[in-house]
Amino acid sequence: MSLIRDLLKESGYSDKAAEYYLNRVNVGEMSEPDAYAIYTGPCGDTMEFFLKVEEEGKIKDASFQAIGCAGAFSSGSALCDMIRGKTLEDAGRIEEEEIIEYLDGIPMQKVHCACLAKRTLRKAIGQYKDKQGG
Ligand code: FES
């Protein structure tokens, strides 16, 4: 047991959320992504989302980078896992509550961090669609 893991659990992160954060799951830049966006949330933290998109509009791969907290990192990690294999439309409809449910819980005051992940993904999807001409 690490001290950080204990602190995460004490502050309201589930085991799953703590593992996502500590293992930096899906964190990293992607070379030549089909879709990309960078977004800064109201808290001042920033996230980048990278997507590989198949011809049928399905998400083949996803990764992210962030200047942010454990809430932002666990949410970004989870969201990448949640959207692989989904259509852009379905991925773009995911709400922060679903991310938090998938994570089995993060602290109440971190809901906006899941929102940062959602908004960054939606921006990447929007820019991809604009590039495709709608
Ligand atoms: Fe800014 Fe969590 S405090 S993303």
Side-chain angles (χ1 to χ4, degrees), residues 13 42-47 67-73 109-110 112-114 116:
Y13 288 91
C43 67
D45 287 334
T46 298
M47 189 175 282
I67 304 167
C69 67
F73 273 93
Q109 65 272 28
K110 293 290 171 183
H112 74 276
C113 314
L116 175 71

